[in-house]
């Protein structure tokens, strides 16, 4: 029998919103979430670090969870500006790891991402692991090889049992916007779905089908309320990691609704 996977809608607010805006958005999403079938979908808000605590407070005891946008690979030490899982524990439930902006702009390697994932899992938190190829890698026909390498490296240190707690976001790097007003091209919805099936197959080879069926794998390229349905309707796609569009509560709530209801 196949495992039931709850769908998931993740808002990555990147470095877009100030503290007051984060609180306002969290409150709006909190009050709208009940009306958009939050029972059918997990909702996660990932604000910039200084807003983690206020957003958690604004959400109160709702089902909407808080996530961090990154974490350091070490537990403690002289790492100015960084935070460790020890400091995030109790504050967040999810941590985004290996986002393409971190891989690209901060030179994060597969090994570093894998190390962070191990820390997050060991701390009892859920990693949202981002993988995906660059435009150049895609042009060279290397998408499958790149994603396979990224996923295999990350899964190496993750036990079969922990897979149920992990989320993998397939985000083709060329399909992520460069900021407001700078949209990215989008693939045909069937293309990411195919890579997402491959990711689950890799997880299955690693941990066995029974455990791999519990791993949630989502689409992480740009989506908005209009385009989301086409991606999450594809078989095997468990939700979306949303950047720019998630900063507008009504838009994000429409995306949550699409994730809850659009099925093949
Ligand atoms: P975007 O970001 O929706 O702003 O393109 C997506 C992402 O970073 O995963």
């Amino acid at each position: 029998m196949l495992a039931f996977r709850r769908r998931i809608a993740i808002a990555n607010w990147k470095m877009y919103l100030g503290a007051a805006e984060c609180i306002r958005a969290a409150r709006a999403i909190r009050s709208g979430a009940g009306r958009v079938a939050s029972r059918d979908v997990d909702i996660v808000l990932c604000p910039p670090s200084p807003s983690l605590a206020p957003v958690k407070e604004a959400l109160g005891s709702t089902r909407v969870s808080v996530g961090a946008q990154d974490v350091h690979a070490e537990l403690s030490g002289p790492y100015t500006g960084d935070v460790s899982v020890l400091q995030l524990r109790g504050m967040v439930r999810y941590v985004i790891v290996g986002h393409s902006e971190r891989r690209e702009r901060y030179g994060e390697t597969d090994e570093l991402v894998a190390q962070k994932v191990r820390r997050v899992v060991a701390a009892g938190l859920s990693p949202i692991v981002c993988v995906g190829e660059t435009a150049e890698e895609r042009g060279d026909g290397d998408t499958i090889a790149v994603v396979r390498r990224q996923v295999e490296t990350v899964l190496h240190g993750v036990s079969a049992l922990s897979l149920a707690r992990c989320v993998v976001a397939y985000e083709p790097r060329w399909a992520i916007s460069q900021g407001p007003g700078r949209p990215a091209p989008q693939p045909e919805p069937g293309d990411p779905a195919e890579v997402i099936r491959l990711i689950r197959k890799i997880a299955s080879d690693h941990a066995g089908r029974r455990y791999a069926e519990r791993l949630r794998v989502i689409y992480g390229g740009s989506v908005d309320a209009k385009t989301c349905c086409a991606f999450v309707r594809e078989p095997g796609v468990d939700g979306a990691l949303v950047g720019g569009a998630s900063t507008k509560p009504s838009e994000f709530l429409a995306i949550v609704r699409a994730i809850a209801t659009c099925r093949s």
Side-chain angles (χ1 to χ4, degrees), residues 10 17-18 47-48 59 65 103 160 166 181 184 199 228 232-233 236 263:
I10 304 166
L17 302 182
L59 292 172
S65 306
R103 290 180 188 259
C166 298
I199 292 171
C228 184
V232 299
R233 197 166 45 204
R263 286 168 199 270

Side-chain angles (χ1 to χ4, degrees), residues 51 58 67 94 125 176 222 244:
S51 296
Y94 293 85
L125 304 174
I176 293 176
S222 273

